[in-house]
Amino acid sequence: MGRAAAASIEHDPQRDRYRAGVLKYAEMGYWQPGYEPSETDILALFRITPQDGVDPQEAAAAVAGESSTATWTVVWTDRLTACDRYRAKAYRVDPVPGTPGQFFAYIAYDIDLFEPGSIANLTASIIGNVFGFKPLRALRLEDMRIPLAYVKTFAGPPTGIVVERERLDKFGRPLLGATVKPKLGLSGKSYGRVVYEALSGGLDFTKDDENINSQPFMHWRDRFLYCMEAVNRAQSVSGEVKGHYLNVTAATMEDMYERAEFARELGSVVVMIDLVIGYTAIQSMAKWARRNDTILHLHRAGHSTYTRQRSHGVSFRVISKWMRLAGVDHIHAGTVVGKLEGDPNSVQGYYNVLREDHNPVDLQRGLFFEQHWGGLRKVMPVASGGIHAGQMHQLLTYLGDDVVLQFGGGTIGHPMGIQAGATANRVALEAMVLARNEGRDIWNEGPDVLAAAARSCAPLKAALDTWGDVTFTYESTDTPDFVPTATAA
Amino acid sequence: MSENLARAEDCERLDLDGLYRESAVAQTIGALDSDLVGLAPVKRRVREIAALLLVEKLRRSIGLQAVAPPLHMSFTGNPGTGKTTVAMRMASILHGLGYVRKGHLVVVTRDDLVGQFIGHTAPKTKEVLKRAMGGVLLIDEAYYLHRPENERDYGQEAIEILLQVMENQRDDLVVIFAGYKDRIDKFFASNPGMASRVTHHIEFPDYTAPELLVIAELMLQQMQYCLSDTARAALEEYIERRMTQPNFANARSVRNALDRARLRQANRLFEARARPLSRLALSTIEDADIRASRVFAAAGGSS
Amino acid sequence: MRLTQGAFSFLPDLSDRQITAQIEYCLAQGWAVSIEHTDDPHPRNIYWEMFGPPMFDLCDAAGIMAEVRNCRATFPKQYIKVNAFDATHGWEAMRLSFIVNRPSNEPGFGLAREEGAGRNLRYTNFPYAAGLPHGKRY
């Protein structure tokens, strides 16, 4: 062994890599520009805004590192693992069109990093650590590709669009709902009155609001009893299957199970939960719903705290994917024309993620990856928030047939009363579907169709007179990057 | 009444040519002329019917007396004379002029309409009719529907149902009866109700020998073969001889003959496979491939 | 009482022309159309009587309308509905269903409440008509 040999040991790349100290993430193996993602990799697309002076590749590598195995300094214990495999790989960085300083970073994660069938684990891994990272000014999880191998570890929606329709025996038109208003304060008996009026007037569903759980003004058991009385009465006067989303959200899982069991005992076809109960609770409830043949409605309470701003947070399309895997049957996904945020292209992207068996890449609608759902059941999107009968032609065109259209204020605020409000919405919807099937151009002739239907339906006429001109036109804060201008909702 | 007619004439300049070109029927008729060999009387009849329907359409459009023109037809002739092909074109013409809503063609024989036991026929016939509605129903060898000598024959039931639909749902369906002329004539003679509802009778003459030769060459062209000069002469002779023999099915028989010639060509090439082949050799039918036919042997000589 | 099952029950009864247009829409989507009838309108009565098998491969509504008229003539006092079935992957289910005939007098439903413990109630909807045997209901 001469000097030459000694020299070669000095410059061994493995020893250099694991020498104590701080290395750039890109040098630790988290930046691999040539990497070809495998079929079983989980892919994530982050929108990164590095701090000034931070190189985008390094930032991407840092995100990859901090969302997988790295820490801010080299650790020798890495050598005890097949670390090359467990490291996430940032394999591509593109500038975001029209937004200097922002980049799209594509990162691949080995499937072994994740527990099968666990949204809690999937999210803890990907967004658990990295969003507060100082070298990034802002970070958003824009889209994910879940490989079929991982999709298959989830049970998915307990009911799904097809089975829901078969249970309700309702085919060929969107479903109609309304949230009971005012949001808070009604007693159980008064609450049930609203439900009866709305369902007997023609809606298919009524809904607890997200913050109706069990408050001093109305305990949950009372609400459940009065609502089921209303549901059954409405069923008997119409001959149709009706439902009310009984909110079983509570402080603990034990309380939630107790409430859900009671709902089932009373014969409700549907129960409801809020997003704020957390991913673990949602999966538990999905399992319960499947065991008990109940439709599971999810209110996306709290999501806009992190989904709304384009630069930072988690995109709602990712939430939609997680929720489909976790297993909900209904999820609020936007109305386009109502009072809440939702650009038409983005919203159509969310609806496609929820309803299709296969999503091709569709940059215009914000879908960056091809996604196969492997036969996982389809989630029924819910459109709720500031919509009224006068917009029926727009709603049908943007959202299609497999959606629940919820007109809370639009039913309960009707000048002729709640039943009339429900009837107005139902007649408007049926007339619009009839016209669309006949081949009419409802986008342009919609108002004519509504006016014609209103001639034989006084409640509809009153609704159009009251709200016909109401629109919510503001520029969207979260539009897709690959469309020239924000489309006015 | 005549006053009304005169007034109608005065106030409008009616554009028959425009209607013709608008309806795209011109294309179908043009294609009929160019795509199908021979069939001169057929083409003439088709054009005549099309003209009638076009004028009817124009008359209706300005409110003149609009009795739905009778459209049911019979196509008579030997097998292989193009009846099904022309039926398809006819469906397209009727659709182009708005006489049938969808313009598809459904081809059936007796077995598709008649059942084997009691109660089987009506649903079977109705099934077929439902499928054909909006288009044209071609009943091939229609005379087999009627078997008076067999008591347990359910064909009569099918005929009744057909009659009813032909009369009451003229807007929904056009029926074409096809088969040998003499047998179709006999069928109509014993079913006067049926006969009275069929207005247009088109006879499909046998192809002449030169026409069959052209058809043969078109077929070969489509299959990407060609004939050597001697082969062409042989084929001409073949056709003339074959036409006189029994069971001649016009274009179909020619097709069969060409298939056999291809078989012989393939075997000839195989026998001589030691020598390399040219592309032309692969595609050429030679004299010998045709002369080997039994048709020549039967006549007692080959060249 | 007016039974509001089906996609268009809140609109005035559909004319034959309107029904034809809906059937044409179904055929254009490639759906198979079928006709069913019943005299038991309970919402959980899923299996109405089939009036003939589902009709596949049709190009035009005329044949189906003939069957609708046939069914009306045969069962004038029953509820009759037209269904459209989609056999493609991911659906394999009914896509449209609407009522095309109803009895002239619809007595509606009664609601029976069976009282249980703790103000719990078990509900039963029963159609008044179903109190009579088949054939005598409407």
Side-chain angles (χ1 to χ4, degrees):
Chain A
M1 268 248 258
R3 253 220 219 136
S8 66
I9 295 173
E10 266 318 303
H11 293 291
D12 176 9
Q14 281 287 63
R15 287 195 58 176
D16 284 346
R17 168 65 178 83
Y18 293 98
R19 197 184 294 276
V22 178
L23 281 178
K24 285 184 173 256
Y25 284 93
E27 286 159 25
M28 286 204 271
Y30 295 100
W31 168 240
Q32 291 191 29
Y35 178 73
E36 281 275 340
S38 85
E39 289 251 325
T40 55
D41 280 346
I42 282 145
L43 305 177
L45 174 66
F46 285 93
R47 181 192 301 260
I48 59 180
T49 310
Q51 298 276 22
D52 292 334
V54 178
D55 176 62
Q57 273 100 4
E58 173 61 9
V63 171
E66 288 299 324
S67 60
S68 58
T69 58
T71 184
W72 58 274
T73 185
V74 174
V75 292
W76 66 268
T77 37
D78 263 345
R79 302 296 304 279
L80 301 173
T81 70
C83 45
D84 291 332
R85 184 159 170 163
Y86 294 121
R87 268 181 216 126
K89 294 131 191 110
Y91 61 93
R92 180 171 151 194
V93 171
D94 295 333
V96 173
T99 318
Q102 235 181 48
F103 300 88
F104 284 131
Y106 290 76
I107 299 176
Y109 301 81
D110 188 275
I111 196 174
D112 277 0
L113 292 172
F114 305 99
E115 177 175 347
S118 170
I119 293 293
N121 178 254
L122 177 64
T123 55
S125 301
I126 307 236
I127 63 171
N129 209 25
V130 73
F131 277 71
F133 201 49
K134 281 186 185 172
L136 300 169
R137 185 180 307 147
L139 179 67
R140 188 194 211 203
L141 178 58
E142 196 63 49
D143 199 0
M144 284 187 74
R145 193 283 301 268
I146 320 288
L148 192 56
Y150 196 55
V151 170
K152 278 308 206 179
T153 65
F154 289 92
T159 313
I161 292 178
V162 172
V163 175
E164 175 169 354
R165 285 189 176 281
E166 288 185 346
R167 279 201 203 144
L168 301 173
D169 206 28
K170 299 186 183 192
F171 309 96
R173 62 166 174 85
L175 300 174
L176 288 170
T179 308
V180 176
K181 302 283 183 195
K183 286 168 78 71
L184 300 165
L186 291 169
S187 72
K189 178 169 174 225
S190 309
Y191 201 88
R193 164 61 67 185
V194 177
V195 171
Y196 172 70
E197 295 296 314
L199 292 179
S200 59
L203 302 187
D204 303 300
F205 289 122
T206 44
K207 171 178 165 294
D208 282 344
D209 223 339
E210 75 281 354
N211 48 358
I212 287 282
N213 295 161
S214 191
Q215 283 102 332
F217 50 83
M218 175 171 55
H219 282 169
W220 64 277
R221 268 191 79 100
D222 264 339
R223 177 169 79 259
F224 284 25
L225 286 167
Y226 284 115
C227 284
M228 288 317 295
E229 165 69 27
V231 165
N232 282 288
R233 267 284 284 145
Q235 230 169 251
S236 77
V237 303
S238 65
E240 292 177 61
V241 178
K242 302 280 183 186
H244 175 85
Y245 313 155
L246 294 167
N247 197 344
V248 299
T249 301
T252 64
M253 274 315 291
E254 292 71 32
D255 287 322
M256 284 188 61
Y257 282 137
E258 186 189 350
R259 297 182 193 188
E261 289 293 330
F262 191 54
R264 185 182 57 87
E265 217 179 285
L266 292 177
S268 179
V269 296
V270 54
V271 297
M272 163 184 169
I273 53 177
D274 299 333
L275 183 60
V276 292
I277 64 179
Y279 303 130
T280 297
I282 292 173
Q283 276 194 253
S284 293
M285 287 312 298
K287 219 165 145 181
W288 181 92
R290 189 175 281 257
R291 255 203 322 272
N292 290 282
D293 284 332
T294 311
I295 299 168
L296 184 63
H297 174 101
L298 177 79
H299 186 289
R300 54 177 181 171
H303 78 101
S304 357
T305 52
Y306 48 87
T307 59
R308 188 168 175 187
Q309 295 305 327
R310 207 201 299 199
S311 56
H312 190 86
V314 178
S315 159
F316 189 71
R317 77 182 63 84
V318 177
I319 303 293
S320 302
K321 293 192 181 183
W322 291 347
M323 289 302 103
R324 185 170 177 181
L325 293 169
V328 302
D329 296 315
H330 286 187
I331 184 173
H332 292 239
T335 62
V336 181
V337 297
K339 72 188 184 199
L340 302 173
E341 169 69 41
D343 158 87
N345 281 308
S346 304
V347 171
Q348 279 183 342
Y350 310 150
Y351 275 56
N352 289 348
V353 156
L354 295 166
R355 293 194 297 204
E356 295 182 342
D357 189 52
H358 166 250
N359 308 124
V361 172
D362 186 358
L363 295 177
Q364 196 186 325
R365 292 189 176 82
L367 304 182
F368 291 82
F369 296 108
E370 185 179 15
Q371 178 68 50
H372 291 273
W373 289 101
L376 216 62
R377 289 183 171 185
K378 311 174 204 181
V379 182
M380 181 89 82
V382 176
S384 171
I387 53 177
H388 59 87
Q391 299 165 312
M392 200 58 80
H393 52 296
Q394 296 167 310
L395 292 165
L396 197 59
T397 304
Y398 278 128
L399 309 177
D401 280 354
D402 295 299
V403 59
V404 185
L405 299 173
Q406 305 210 158
F407 301 86
T411 302
I412 298 170
H414 192 284
M416 288 164 63
I418 300 174
Q419 269 192 3
T423 305
N425 291 323
R426 178 85 176 253
V427 171
L429 177 67
E430 291 193 354
M432 201 58 69
V433 173
L434 192 80
R436 192 248 350 243
N437 292 358
E438 284 176 357
R440 289 182 68 176
D441 172 13
I442 59 169
W443 184 258
N444 291 309
E445 294 176 36
D448 299 328
V449 173
L450 291 171
R455 281 200 278 275
S456 52
C457 177
L460 179 56
K461 178 150 198 336
L464 295 173
D465 289 340
T466 313
W467 295 309
D469 294 326
V470 171
T471 53
F472 296 93
T473 313
Y474 297 89
E475 202 178 302
S476 172
T477 56
D478 179 20
T479 55
D481 301 88
F482 294 91
V483 177
T485 48
T487 36
Chain B
M1 173 88 103
S2 52
E3 218 183 272
N4 282 342
L5 294 173
R7 216 184 297 142
E9 227 182 297
D10 286 331
C11 60
E12 290 182 66
R13 306 204 116 266
L14 303 163
D15 185 7
L16 190 61
D17 189 44
L19 190 64
Y20 178 54
R21 272 181 280 112
E22 232 169 57
S23 68
V25 166
Q27 263 170 304
T28 314
I29 294 191
L32 200 69
D33 279 336
S34 57
D35 294 348
L36 301 182
V37 175
L39 296 178
V42 175
K43 289 174 185 170
R44 192 170 45 246
R45 281 295 268 140
V46 170
R47 259 183 262 122
E48 285 169 7
I49 295 171
L52 172 67
L53 296 180
L54 192 63
V55 169
E56 260 316 302
K57 185 170 177 182
L58 187 60
R59 286 166 51 92
R60 281 173 144 194
S61 75
I62 61 166
L64 284 174
Q65 184 68 298
V67 178
L71 293 171
H72 304 302
M73 308 180 191
S74 77
F75 286 4
T76 52
N78 288 326
T81 46
K83 297 196 281 297
T84 309
T85 316
V86 172
M88 249 192 291
R89 307 298 174 106
M90 182 62 80
S92 173
I93 291 171
L94 289 170
H95 179 54
L97 292 173
Y99 284 99
V100 299
R101 281 189 296 270
K102 303 279 156 54
H104 56 287
L105 176 69
V106 174
V107 181
V108 297
T109 62
R110 175 209 148 83
D111 285 339
D112 297 304
L113 294 166
V114 182
Q116 275 86 41
F117 46 84
I118 292 188
H120 194 202
T121 299
K124 233 176 159 184
T125 308
K126 287 190 189 159
E127 254 322 294
V128 168
L129 290 173
K130 268 190 265 180
R131 263 192 303 134
M133 285 207 186
V136 175
L137 178 67
L138 174 68
I139 306 178
D140 211 359
E141 307 223 81
Y143 29 83
Y144 286 134
L145 280 173
H146 181 62
R147 287 201 177 130
E149 63 289 353
N150 185 352
E151 272 175 18
R152 277 218 243 107
D153 183 65
Y154 304 110
Q156 195 56 36
E157 216 184 316
I159 293 179
E160 311 266 303
I161 298 173
L162 259 175
L163 272 174
Q164 221 190 19
V165 169
M166 284 167 72
E167 185 55 41
N168 298 332
Q169 290 182 263
R170 266 189 273 179
D171 287 338
D172 294 331
L173 184 64
V174 172
V175 182
I176 301 180
F177 298 87
Y180 289 106
K181 175 158 172 54
D182 54 349
R183 295 206 221 170
I184 288 269
D185 285 346
K186 213 165 123 194
F187 173 68
F188 281 150
S190 34
N191 285 283
M194 197 68 92
S196 65
R197 288 178 175 83
V198 176
T199 355
H200 303 289
H201 301 271
I202 306 186
E203 281 182 45
F204 285 69
D206 285 332
Y207 290 109
T208 62
E211 284 169 352
L212 286 168
L213 186 62
V214 174
I215 289 176
E217 299 211 284
L218 278 174
M219 286 180 177
L220 285 170
Q221 211 175 58
Q222 262 180 350
M223 299 190 274
Q224 294 188 303
Y225 279 86
C226 60
L227 293 165
S228 70
D229 289 329
T230 43
R232 182 170 298 108
L235 187 57
E236 238 183 289
E237 220 186 294
Y238 170 90
I239 289 173
E240 276 166 24
R241 288 181 193 234
R242 179 67 187 88
M243 279 170 78
T244 60
Q245 289 179 354
N247 296 324
F248 180 61
N250 287 282
R252 231 172 275 151
S253 292
V254 168
R255 180 58 186 248
N256 293 340
L258 291 178
D259 285 338
R260 286 192 295 272
R262 283 168 55 222
L263 181 69
R264 292 183 208 113
Q265 184 238 33
N267 275 282
R268 172 172 54 80
L269 293 176
F270 184 72
E271 294 298 327
R273 65 189 179 282
R275 284 187 288 115
L277 287 171
S278 71
R279 193 186 155 89
L280 186 62
L282 271 180
S283 328
T284 308
I285 305 279
E286 295 288 355
D287 186 63
D289 302 326
I290 299 184
R291 295 247 170 230
S293 167
R294 266 179 303 149
V295 164
F296 290 97
S302 51
S303 80
Chain C
M1 175 256 182
R2 182 181 166 87
L3 188 75
T4 48
Q5 296 176 14
F8 304 119
S9 288
F10 265 71
L11 301 175
D13 285 341
L14 299 184
S15 67
D16 279 1
R17 198 191 48 78
Q18 287 176 305
I19 297 172
T20 304
Q22 294 303 310
I23 295 175
E24 288 287 353
Y25 173 76
C26 297
L27 292 176
Q29 310 298 316
W31 299 340
V33 180
S34 69
I35 299 172
E36 293 177 359
H37 62 99
T38 193
D39 59 3
D40 174 7
H42 192 283
R44 290 266 152 74
N45 176 16
I46 302 292
Y47 300 114
W48 292 22
E49 302 307 314
M50 290 169 59
F51 191 75
M55 295 172 262
F56 296 91
D57 308 323
L58 298 189
C59 303
D60 191 77
I64 302 169
M65 281 309 294
E67 292 293 355
V68 169
R69 288 189 198 103
N70 205 352
C71 192
R72 279 185 188 145
T74 321
F75 301 106
K77 295 198 204 138
Q78 292 199 7
Y79 291 98
I80 302 176
K81 66 181 177 182
V82 170
N83 306 317
F85 192 91
D86 181 356
T88 58
H89 172 69
W91 286 104
E92 292 128 335
M94 213 182 284
R95 296 297 292 274
L96 178 62
S97 175
F98 57 97
I99 290 182
V100 294
N101 191 70
R102 47 180 80 231
S104 46
N105 173 39
E106 301 180 68
F109 297 80
L111 183 62
R113 295 179 180 79
E114 188 189 310
E115 294 167 45
R119 285 190 301 131
N120 283 19
L121 290 172
R122 178 158 270 131
Y123 295 92
T124 310
N125 282 317
F126 59 93
Y128 289 118
L132 293 166
H134 286 290
K136 296 199 163 74
R137 290 185 179 176
Y138 291 103

